[in-house]
Amino acid sequence: MTAARRPHLALVLLGALVALGVTVPVSPPGALPQWDNLVLTAVGAWAAWRCSRLTRRMARPDRLPWQLLGLSSLLFACAGLVTGLGIGGTQGRISVGIVVVLVAALGPTVSAALIGGRVRGTRWPVLVVDGVMVAFALVVVVDVLVLAPAMAPGAIRPDLQPLVLAYAVYPAAAVGVVGALCTVSTAAVRRPATAIILMTALLGLASALLAAHIAQPTGLWSTAADVVIASALVTGVHAVQLASAVPAELSPADAAPIVNSAGVVVDVLALVGVPVTLVAALLLDLRVPDGALACTAVVVLLLLVRLFMRIRDSDRIEEDLLRSEEDFRGLVEASSDGVAIVDADLRLEFTSPAARTLLGIAAAADPHLPLLDLLHEEDRPRVRRELTVAADGAAPVVHLRLQGPEGEGRELEVSHHERPGSGRRVLHLRDVTTRRRRERELERMAFTDHLTRLPNRALLFQEMAAGSATSGERSLLVLDLDGFKAVNDSAGHEAGDLLLVEVARRLQGLLRTDDLVARLGGDEFAVLLAGDEEAAVEAAHRVVDVLARPCRIGNRTFTIGASVGLCRVHPGGGQLAFRQADAALGAAKKAGKGCWRLHTEDRVAQAAASSSVATALADGEVQLRFDTIANGDTGILAALHAQPVWVHPELGTLPAAELWAAAERQGCTAALQQWLITRACADVAALGDELLVAVDLPAGLVHADELPGEVAVALAAADLAPPRLTLFVTEEVLQTSSAALIPALHAVHRTGVRLGLDDYGMGSTLWSQLARLPLEVVMVDVRNLSAGGNHDRMLEVLGAIGRSARDFEVSTVAKEITSRELLHELRVQGVVAVSGPVLPTCLTAAEVADLLGRPGPAVVAPLPAPVPLPRPRAEV
């Protein structure tokens, strides 16, 4: 019952008690009308009305037990009216009112029977035996303490004896039966069932008081009976009110049977009351009637019956347990997955046949070996820690490495849980040797060039990102073979492949083991060196010299060369370093090939030395430039890709990568991050209500702790809907930022902001990233998919990316589109949106506004005919 309802019932009961206090003095025995009975009539009528209102809220199948309580209240009201007006008989003798009261008192008993019958798995023989036994036990108590003195010769008139007998036996029968029936109830109706037991006990007490009033006519007994009856009626309403709050559809926990402590108390007190009453009778020299002795014999007999039923149930339960154990053991022994149980010291206590095979335990060996003795020695501390440290919720999966019986390695995956209170842990073992070997092979293939067995572009960028936080200097060499196309044209692609393998071998033999040699694709290679600029120049010299030597392939000799571009790798600047080294490679090609060039125009250092990024932010030198992103089908402008640039008064316009690098040197990255998010939201909000905006987070420089707050403030200040903002990260960002970035991105996503992955296809699989972040967009640079100029292969790879992304309901954006022909082909591949030089790029906010104001919504020509491809969504 809710807190708002308790005062309501309390006020009704208080009003009834006040009314009884006023009417009892003016209602002497024999006078009509009996005002106290009319007060009980009003309380009963109110209780019947209230129960009727409450049962209407219940589901129809659940109403009957509680409607009976309302009917009992109505009958009590009728009985009070008949008795109060003196209709149907003389007060104090058997009359119509007395008969109606006795019928009404049966209501809680029938309700309790209906409630007990609805408990799943109710065992009626047990409930009947318990009910009869408790009823006879209470009859013994009533017979010795009440009926024997009242029925003594001359105690009361003979015509009143049947009435006293009825009033005295009712409490024993009703309370005993109701208490036994409500001993077990569902969890959902435990409180209503307890209220019914209390109502029945109050009615039994009132019946006993009326019996005492007949035996010793005084106003005290009748007044107390009136008070108790009013309390019982209000308690009945309370029971129905509690039941009305029970949901129609019960959860398994609410529908489960539980023991009602109130019913247990009634049963125990009744059975204990028999010997206590008999002992008291002997000590006080009270007469023990023959009926009490007969009822005591019945109680003893029923106790024996109950004991027999318990023994039979115990045997049945034991048989069920043995059968279940046999079934469980059969399932465990037939399972291909192993099951083992270990104690607190990780010593094996039980192992299934499959577990013994997986663990390599011989049939004649001790089955209770320490589990750790079976593992590789270096894995033992880790396994002990993972298996013994308590974990909230599901325990993590543990991986075990064992040595097979023939010396082969074996890997097991173990899920485990602790058996509460036993100190033992159940292990479920599965052989994952083949699966783990395949996973490692797939991972190796994902980061390895299949021809030369060198690391590929993805692993190169991963290594540049992984080492960005170290203090050591690093340099990047990008080289391109001179004259390789002529070899392919004259000797064929097979000879060209063998030549690439030879180049890879020479590069590996030329450099140190700490250096990384990677094949970027085609005849392009890269070298990541640990060392300063001088060491990089020396390495570039060696590369040019070694690759200029003739190469013998089969029975032919080829002379090629190499052009090399090199630059320093700044912290968090893997992409920037690659662009700078590639620019230096272009300079080497223009210089006549077969040489190297160093990227010397370090505008980042010049800008950081000559100007302050913080001052540039304040003076407006840091500005936003927008690349347009168009819908893949219609060509309509759908989003803007915002990037900060530094319009330097001396060095010209520095792109985003150089601006972030300068800010990192001056410690201004936090201010730049806040400015970027705030300005992008404000500019796009001013351009309309539908345009979306994408913002890149820089590698190694994201301030994760401040990110959720900055995004929330920027959105609120610009009045921009969160789904209109997309934050883009690259794998390099995820690898170089702090561990707080992933939780911060999840917090931002929960506000409605969308997350995207830029430069997808350069590293891990999409599903590996989806396991970490709720991505909604991937952006693919088509230049990274066209190694060796294989245009068809690029379209195949992009189509595969688009299909896999659609499976995860992720949109695909293709960027760096350089021609309308390529744009048309990419649309056919199902790309949701496109970006690049074929669309307007590097626009200011004012230029974007002018673009939106032009006639016609499309920024590129739409497809000539609709292509029936599924689209998970049309936005970016």
Side-chain angles (χ1 to χ4, degrees), residues 279-331:
V279 171
L282 292 176
L283 296 178
L284 300 176
D285 197 20
L286 299 177
R287 187 175 69 87
V288 180
D290 294 339
L293 294 177
C295 290
T296 303
V298 172
V299 170
V300 173
L301 178 62
L302 292 175
L303 282 173
L304 294 176
V305 172
R306 190 71 175 85
L307 180 61
F308 171 75
M309 296 174 69
R310 180 177 294 277
I311 293 174
R312 187 185 62 182
D313 291 343
S314 298
D315 292 340
R316 180 179 57 81
I317 292 173
E318 185 176 355
E319 291 177 0
D320 290 343
L321 286 176
L322 291 174
R323 191 179 302 110
S324 298
E325 183 179 354
E326 292 175 357
D327 294 341
F328 175 74
R329 184 178 294 275
L331 288 173

Side-chain angles (χ1 to χ4, degrees), residues 157-169:
R157 298 196 311 268
D159 59 332
L160 296 179
Q161 289 183 351
L163 189 58
V164 172
L165 181 63
Y167 277 141
V169 171

